Amino acid sequence: MLESVIRVRDSFLRKQSGLMLPSHARLILAPATHPEFWERKILFWDNVYGVDMSALRKLACEEFLRRPVHTEVLKPSNILSTPQSIWDMNMYTVTVGDLEDHSSAFSFDVLKPATLHCLAAWFDVAFLPRSHNSSEMEGGRQDSKDDGTWYSTSPYHEPSHWKHALLFLEEPPSVYAGDKIHGSVNISRNKFLRRHFQIKLVVSVTRADSKRASCMKMGVAERGFETKETSRADINDQHKSLEIANEGKGRGVPPEGASMEGENQRAEHIVFKEEHTYFMWR
């Protein structure tokens, strides 16, 4: 749909005085836990009204993993780290060619223990003055009068009919506060079916030696433990630090007061890695 908007803009918008509404947009990504969905769609097959149909679990996973799930609405408690922007667009200057292929790296600091079921995506749009410097959009505060008006579809705002796009992992790992989630995402358009997209996701989880040893000492497995609910203070910190993460050019920034002492000295090991390709059509 955006291609149609761009072509109309190029054909009819007045170069000097015309307005694009919205004027800017950004795609946001964050790691998330969603045990209710996993139980409802995947673990469901282990006991279907008393019948073991676990043989169908693999087929169920293939069905739900081959494309993003966009029928779910997340809550702030589902989000495991500070969200960050992976794609910023200026609607006055973006071209059709920019939509063909886009890649972005990401890095998140996990804020609480949970099962990492998916990477969640949503979008924000801005209605900014034409004179606004597009380079200032990254990190633009949504509550600033000088930054125009923002509309967000994030879990921290009222739900919208767009809901959230969820990229589920095939084997969701357990993560702990202090773990790091690294990876990259590539979004490319189908050359023939122009409303179809392919999303390639690479994600890994690294854990410090000290944390790993502590988990082993307590006999805690690296997968499948219970999710701990986020406190209201955690939710507020995540929401307020979204702009800070964007100012960091897409790199995750720990909440204010988080200790970085000895961060560079401790060794980290990859405890999980997965690559997956999703297909999406609109």
Side-chain angles (χ1 to χ4, degrees):
M1 295 179 66
L2 184 54
E3 178 179 352
S4 300
V5 174
I6 293 173
R7 294 193 182 281
V8 172
R9 178 203 67 191
D10 293 343
S11 299
F12 301 106
L13 187 71
R14 293 180 179 179
K15 301 297 183 182
Q16 301 301 323
S17 59
L19 295 177
M20 287 294 294
L21 301 174
S23 60
H24 297 79
R26 61 188 180 190
L27 182 62
I28 310 296
L29 192 71
T33 185
H34 199 345
E36 296 84 5
F37 179 90
W38 198 256
E39 174 71 29
R40 189 169 71 245
K41 297 295 187 180
I42 305 300
L43 300 184
F44 161 80
W45 297 100
D46 290 348
N47 186 350
V48 183
Y49 301 105
V51 179
D52 182 0
M53 301 183 68
S54 56
L56 295 178
R57 264 184 74 173
K58 188 175 186 302
L59 291 175
C61 282
E62 291 176 356
E63 172 67 19
F64 287 109
L65 291 177
R66 69 189 185 98
R67 60 181 181 268
V69 174
H70 52 81
T71 57
E72 299 293 304
V73 176
L74 296 184
K75 301 176 181 178
S77 58
N78 292 116
I79 305 303
L80 301 179
S81 184
T82 302
Q84 61 186 236
S85 175
I86 59 169
W87 199 348
D88 294 287
M89 295 184 190
N90 182 333
M91 293 303 158
Y92 287 102
T93 59
V94 65
T95 67
V96 173
D98 294 333
L99 308 179
E100 296 301 318
D101 190 274
H102 178 79
S103 296
S104 180
F106 55 80
S107 180
F108 298 101
D109 293 318
V110 178
L111 300 177
K112 64 174 184 177
T115 299
L116 174 63
H117 289 108
C118 61
L119 275 296
W122 59 86
F123 67 89
D124 294 348
V125 293
F127 300 82
L128 307 177
R130 188 181 178 94
S131 59
H132 183 83
N133 184 352
S134 62
S135 65
E136 296 175 2
M137 190 192 69
E138 296 185 17
R141 293 185 61 82
Q142 298 181 36
D143 58 355
S144 171
K145 294 182 179 179
D146 295 334
D147 240 355
T149 300
W150 284 84
Y151 177 78
S152 177
T153 62
S154 85
Y156 304 102
H157 292 75
E158 290 295 323
S160 71
H161 82 277
W162 287 288
K163 302 183 180 180
H164 304 118
L166 309 181
L167 305 175
F168 276 90
L169 302 175
E170 185 173 356
E171 297 184 17
S174 297
V175 294
Y176 298 83
D179 286 354
K180 296 183 182 298
I181 300 172
H182 304 280
S184 63
V185 59
N186 172 266
I187 304 172
S188 59
R189 297 181 73 187
N190 187 294
K191 295 184 180 300
F192 304 101
L193 303 174
R194 304 302 283 159
R195 291 172 68 90
H196 291 216
F197 290 82
Q198 177 178 275
I199 303 172
K200 293 183 178 180
L201 178 70
V202 179
V203 59
S204 62
V205 177
T206 60
R207 184 168 300 147
D209 275 345
S210 57
K211 186 68 172 180
R212 197 176 180 208
S214 176
C215 294
M216 294 176 65
K217 188 176 296 184
M218 293 186 299
V220 178
E222 290 187 341
R223 295 179 184 272
F225 57 90
E226 293 184 1
T227 299
K228 176 182 176 183
E229 289 295 326
T230 309
S231 69
R232 176 55 56 183
D234 288 337
I235 294 173
N236 292 337
D237 286 344
Q238 293 174 30
H239 189 194
K240 291 178 181 178
S241 55
L242 171 58
E243 292 81 14
I244 297 176
N246 289 328
E247 287 176 353
K249 297 182 178 180
R251 309 296 293 179
V253 178
E256 184 178 356
S259 174
M260 298 295 290
E261 183 178 356
E263 187 72 18
N264 295 329
Q265 284 73 34
R266 61 180 187 175
E268 295 184 344
H269 292 273
I270 295 177
V271 296
F272 170 84
K273 185 173 183 179
E274 187 169 304
E275 299 182 16
H276 201 73
T277 300
Y278 309 83
F279 297 93
M280 179 178 71
W281 49 91
R282 304 297 293 176

